[in-house]
Amino acid sequence: MIVTISNTSEKPIYQQLYEQISAQILKGELESGYCLPPIRQAALELHVSVITVKKAWEELERSGLINTVTGKGCFVAEFSPDEMLRIRNETVLKQMESDTAYYKSFGLTLDEVIGLLNKIY
Amino acid sequence: MLALDIRNLNKKYPHFQIKDVSFQLEKGYIMGFIGANGAGKTTTIKSILNMVQVDSGEIYILGKNIADHEIELKQEIGCAFGDIDFYTRSKIKTLTDITKKFYKNWNDETYYNYLKRFKLDENKKIAELSRGMKVKYSLALALSHGAKLLILDEPTSGLDPVSRDDLLDIFQELIIGGEISILFSTHITSDLERCADYITFIEHGQIIASSEKNELKESYRLLSGSEAQLNEVREHLISYKINSFGFTGLIHAKDIDPSSSLRATTPSLDEIMIYFAKKEDVYV
């Protein structure tokens, strides 16, 4: 698991953690059954507060990406390819929502956005 | 379980008072206690330790009322006030020998580990120590008797960045088991951004906010816009600054009009402190 935290980013740290770890799970870089470090250990190593890590882990669990086994720890969940696709799309959509708000603030139409996307994609 | 439960503390001095101070710290977490100079941080901390006689209010430590169990609870508390200004002509060794007699659970091994980690020489006299060294020495004393609750008044001030970083590492190592809790006051907010779970913010002797760090920051917004737009929100702003680019002001997130087009960002702890201090200036 690789995590880089930026203290200057506008994004709350728990969200940075969530996004980076969820991406690694969805890309298959972290396999199902992989054991995440204990919350307090992770907080110490990442130089962030305990609650920050807790929140990120909770968010991952809510998205169905990890399971908590009481007394043992948090493990990357097992999912079918269909589920994987659904969670991936949900995650990407979340990002698109905030991007869309940005495009709308300039008054772009959907066609214009797609046109611009075509140029860089 | 609560490591620290403070309820409605009041203490009146001729020119200053702390008013209805209440906050709670859950066991196993770190709380940062922030506020400008003279806001009441030290008075509150001294009240917790019964070094200041409060006019009213109750303090529970690890579930027990300190008024009834003071001697017993003080075994469980490690405190440090940054500076040591007593017995300055004694050697560290002498002062430690006196201090450790008061603690049932004093641990020499832990103590010597901290001396080594802090690069302190036992044979130096207190008067010969720099401010940073004194801070480190008082921390070594506070950390060596198995305390469950650490109450530290500005432990990081006077320390260089490397020592501060090391100290924050120690804090995080201490709470890893979930048994030890830490309350520390500071005005170096970057220390808190890193390791504090909860923040309590005091201003003019009153608690402005006490909550989880991110929640606290998210409960405020920093608005910016043109001077013309200022009129829309002026009455809701806690305080604001005007410059040639327009205005920037702090507002409670709940007071934001959702249809407003003003640019809103999440403030840093510093910014929250600064705008609250500015609010007070307006009335002076």
Side-chain angles (χ1 to χ4, degrees):
Chain A
M1 193 167 82
I2 302 157
V3 177
T4 333
I5 290 166
S6 158
N7 282 313
T8 46
S9 160
E10 261 283 298
K11 265 186 199 152
I13 293 170
Y14 77 89
Q15 204 176 338
Q16 296 181 30
L17 282 175
Y18 170 78
E19 284 175 6
Q20 293 178 30
I21 297 172
S22 63
Q24 286 172 56
I25 295 175
L26 291 170
K27 287 180 195 159
E29 290 165 12
L30 295 178
E31 288 175 9
S32 70
Y34 175 90
C35 178
L36 269 68
I39 290 173
R40 285 172 183 270
Q41 184 72 38
L44 170 67
E45 287 173 2
L46 295 170
H47 286 182
V48 300
S49 76
V50 174
I51 288 189
T52 302
V53 180
K54 215 179 198 173
K55 263 186 158 168
W57 271 215
E58 279 167 7
E59 201 72 13
L60 288 167
E61 189 162 25
R62 212 171 304 138
S63 311
L65 290 166
I66 63 168
N67 294 321
T68 306
V69 184
T70 318
K72 285 197 170 159
C74 296
F75 301 89
V76 173
E78 260 184 64
F79 7 56
S80 63
D82 277 357
E83 264 179 303
M84 186 97 144
L85 208 62
R86 183 184 57 81
I87 300 172
R88 189 201 68 188
N89 287 353
E90 268 173 25
T91 311
V92 173
L93 267 176
K94 247 190 233 163
Q95 178 67 46
M96 282 180 163
E97 252 173 55
S98 67
D99 291 349
T100 306
Y102 177 71
Y103 304 143
K104 280 186 178 166
S105 74
F106 287 102
L108 265 72
T109 66
L110 180 58
D111 287 338
E112 280 175 308
V113 173
I114 293 174
L116 286 171
L117 266 179
N118 273 330
K119 266 193 198 166
I120 54 160
Y121 211 86
Chain B
M1 179 170 154
L2 294 175
L4 183 61
D5 183 0
I6 297 176
R7 300 183 196 166
N8 311 96
L9 281 195
N10 284 286
K11 171 76 185 175
K12 204 169 174 146
Y13 290 107
H15 300 289
F16 175 73
Q17 60 173 329
I18 56 170
K19 224 174 132 186
D20 230 14
V21 166
S22 301
F23 60 88
Q24 283 78 33
L25 169 60
E26 209 176 313
K27 193 173 100 175
Y29 292 97
I30 299 176
M31 176 181 274
F33 193 29
I34 59 172
N37 294 325
K41 298 189 296 288
T42 303
T43 306
T44 305
I45 284 180
K46 287 194 168 166
S47 315
I48 298 172
L49 297 166
N50 213 5
M51 292 162 76
V52 161
Q53 291 276 304
V54 291
D55 301 332
S56 64
E58 285 179 328
I59 294 155
Y60 292 86
I61 290 170
L62 304 161
K64 287 178 183 164
N65 192 325
I66 188 144
D68 304 331
H69 301 88
E70 181 172 351
I71 299 200
E72 172 195 346
L73 284 173
K74 285 206 168 158
Q75 295 286 336
E76 311 274 350
I77 302 174
C79 56
F81 291 91
D83 224 338
I84 295 178
D85 42 17
F86 45 88
Y87 295 132
T88 50
R89 276 179 290 179
S90 305
K91 286 179 180 174
I92 284 187
K93 198 175 172 17
T94 318
L95 197 47
T96 302
D97 282 340
I98 297 166
T99 308
K100 71 186 205 188
K101 290 202 175 77
F102 290 98
Y103 293 106
K104 280 188 294 201
N105 298 321
W106 180 267
N107 188 322
D108 266 331
E109 197 190 329
T110 312
Y111 171 71
Y112 283 110
N113 278 336
Y114 282 120
L115 281 198
K116 220 165 110 191
R117 187 160 177 175
F118 294 152
K119 300 188 181 71
L120 290 167
D121 174 2
E122 279 205 290
N123 293 312
K124 272 211 169 152
K125 287 180 182 159
I126 305 296
E128 296 164 350
L129 301 177
S130 68
R131 160 136 179 109
M133 286 297 190
K134 282 183 189 166
V135 172
K136 287 177 178 173
Y137 175 54
S138 63
L139 285 165
L141 288 178
L143 298 173
S144 300
H145 58 90
K148 294 278 186 297
L149 173 64
L150 296 171
I151 298 179
L152 312 168
D153 197 13
E154 302 194 3
T156 50
S157 66
L159 296 186
D160 61 77
V162 179
S163 307
R164 261 174 39 217
D165 187 67
D166 188 36
L167 184 61
L168 297 180
D169 265 340
I170 292 175
F171 287 177
Q172 294 196 291
E173 283 164 24
L174 286 168
I175 66 154
I176 205 160
E179 286 298 317
I180 295 174
S181 323
I182 302 174
L183 172 74
F184 78 101
S185 73
T186 182
H187 30 237
I188 305 169
T189 53
S190 61
D191 294 347
L192 303 170
E193 302 273 3
R194 169 170 154 191
C195 73
D197 294 295
Y198 297 93
I199 303 284
T200 296
F201 175 27
I202 189 169
E203 175 81 29
H204 286 259
Q206 282 178 289
I207 302 292
I208 303 277
S210 179
S211 63
E212 192 269 312
K213 176 176 60 190
N214 210 51
E215 236 167 68
L216 182 114
K217 289 199 283 181
E218 299 274 336
S219 68
Y220 296 98
R221 284 280 183 278
L222 208 53
L223 285 185
S224 46
S226 66
E227 266 194 80
Q229 288 170 308
L230 176 58
N231 290 323
E232 293 173 26
V233 290
R234 192 195 302 259
E235 58 182 19
H236 290 304
L237 292 178
I238 292 156
S239 74
Y240 57 89
K241 293 176 184 172
I242 296 178
N243 61 27
S244 54
F245 297 101
F247 82 96
T248 312
L250 190 72
I251 190 168
H252 286 284
K254 61 176 169 49
D255 291 336
I256 288 190
D257 177 0
S259 63
S260 161
S261 59
L262 287 168
R263 212 177 98 79
T265 55
T266 307
S268 65
L269 293 171
D270 270 344
E271 284 163 334
I272 296 175
M273 278 173 70
I274 289 164
Y275 281 92
F276 265 95
K278 222 175 140 50
K279 171 191 171 185
E280 300 299 331
D281 292 344
V282 177
Y283 300 128
V284 172

